[in-house]
Amino acid sequence: MVIDLDRCTGCSACVVACNAENNIATVGDEQCARGRNMQWIHVQRFYEGEYPNVTAYHAPMMCQQCGNAPCESVCPVFASSHSEDGLNQQVYNRCIGTRFCANNCAYHVRVFNFYEPYWPSPLEQQLNPDVTVRGAGVMEKCTFCVQRIRRATLDAKVEKRKLIDGELRPACVQACPAHAMFFGELTDKSSLVNKLWEENAQRSLRVLQEKNTQPNVIYLKRVQVPETDVL
């Protein structure tokens, strides 16, 4: 996934779409105040410069689908593991709620179900039948909308064709009104995400790459040059 931070407006449409697509429960004001909010994407806000020349920018932060995921090696029941297509997957019916994976996640993007899931009416009527409803005591996280990946892959197989670049779109990518999020096969030289990555090499970064987690989410961010340096 490639996210252009220079386009992101911080509107949180990605967060809302993610919640609706993946049956993420509501927890209420009291639990939010205790830091137990349930969101697979957090829109983080940063500020650059000194007053009055301050610039704000936003960074959607979700599971980075690390190639060398520190959350996987600490799970005693192998609930966190790597799928064949490179996703960092969470097997809910194996999870026993130790939360070791959350403690070892460098990005703090895993969330724990402290209570049975709840949706105030009429939100319970919009649950996605393609996604499991997780119970209490289970750790959960972003899956890159794996249900959409599986469906598009099967449709292409039935129609005896290859997947089209851009055909796979997680809910957050589809909902982004600023077109700041892109999804595709990074190793495919002809894909849009590969072109964006190569054409914007000077402003691309991977969060906490120095930790050797090998994250698969690339952020694009223009480097701010202080006016004193320009002069």
Side-chain angles (χ1 to χ4, degrees):
M1 180 178 287
V2 173
I3 302 176
D4 192 338
L5 299 186
D6 293 325
R7 289 187 177 186
C8 180
T9 61
C11 68
S12 296
C14 54
V15 178
V16 176
C18 175
N19 284 14
E21 171 72 19
N22 294 294
N23 296 340
I24 300 175
T26 59
V27 297
D29 298 343
E30 182 180 346
Q31 295 303 315
C32 278
R34 300 180 67 179
R36 295 177 176 177
N37 56 319
M38 294 289 292
Q39 289 177 348
W40 289 3
I41 304 177
H42 302 275
V43 179
Q44 299 183 352
R45 292 169 176 81
F46 301 90
Y47 301 91
E48 289 181 338
E50 296 291 337
Y51 179 83
N53 300 315
V54 178
T55 302
Y57 67 92
H58 312 275
M61 184 63 63
M62 72 287 287
C63 174
Q64 306 288 295
Q65 307 294 344
C66 302
N68 186 25
C71 57
E72 295 177 359
S73 59
V74 295
C75 182
V77 293
F78 303 104
S80 296
S81 58
H82 237 63
S83 68
E84 292 180 354
D85 45 6
L87 291 174
N88 175 226
Q89 61 187 5
Q90 180 75 11
V91 184
Y92 300 123
N93 56 6
R94 283 186 191 170
C95 182
I96 57 174
T98 64
R99 289 182 275 170
F100 292 165
C101 56
N103 291 336
N104 232 34
C105 175
Y107 306 96
H108 302 290
V109 287
R110 286 174 165 263
V111 290
F112 184 70
N113 272 313
F114 283 90
Y115 299 99
E116 288 297 330
Y118 166 74
W119 291 268
S121 185
L123 292 181
E124 79 281 3
Q125 297 180 27
Q126 70 166 27
L127 293 180
N128 185 350
D130 293 333
V131 180
T132 306
V133 173
R134 289 75 59 188
V138 172
M139 187 63 68
E140 55 184 73
K141 57 177 278 299
C142 166
T143 64
F144 271 178
C145 290
V146 67
Q147 67 279 3
R148 292 189 175 204
I149 296 175
R150 297 288 179 265
R151 173 172 290 181
T153 304
L154 287 173
D155 287 346
K157 186 176 181 180
V158 169
E159 297 169 8
K160 298 180 179 179
R161 60 174 176 82
K162 293 183 179 180
L163 281 171
I164 303 170
D165 183 38
E167 184 176 0
L168 293 177
R169 289 199 299 171
C172 56
V173 175
Q174 183 178 8
C176 181
H179 303 293
M181 308 176 80
F182 307 88
F183 187 77
E185 180 58 60
L186 193 62
T187 57
D188 181 1
K189 293 289 185 183
S190 62
S191 68
L192 176 60
V193 290
N194 185 279
K195 291 178 180 175
L196 285 170
W197 180 37
E198 291 191 346
E199 292 173 0
N200 298 278
Q202 291 184 334
R203 63 186 188 105
S204 69
L205 61 94
R206 302 190 196 215
V207 178
L208 297 179
Q209 189 174 7
E210 67 275 13
K211 301 293 184 184
N212 193 32
T213 54
Q214 301 172 15
N216 281 305
V217 178
I218 297 174
Y219 292 89
L220 305 180
K221 174 73 176 67
R222 184 180 66 254
V223 177
Q224 299 282 3
V225 180
E227 293 183 2
T228 53
D229 292 350
V230 175
L231 295 175

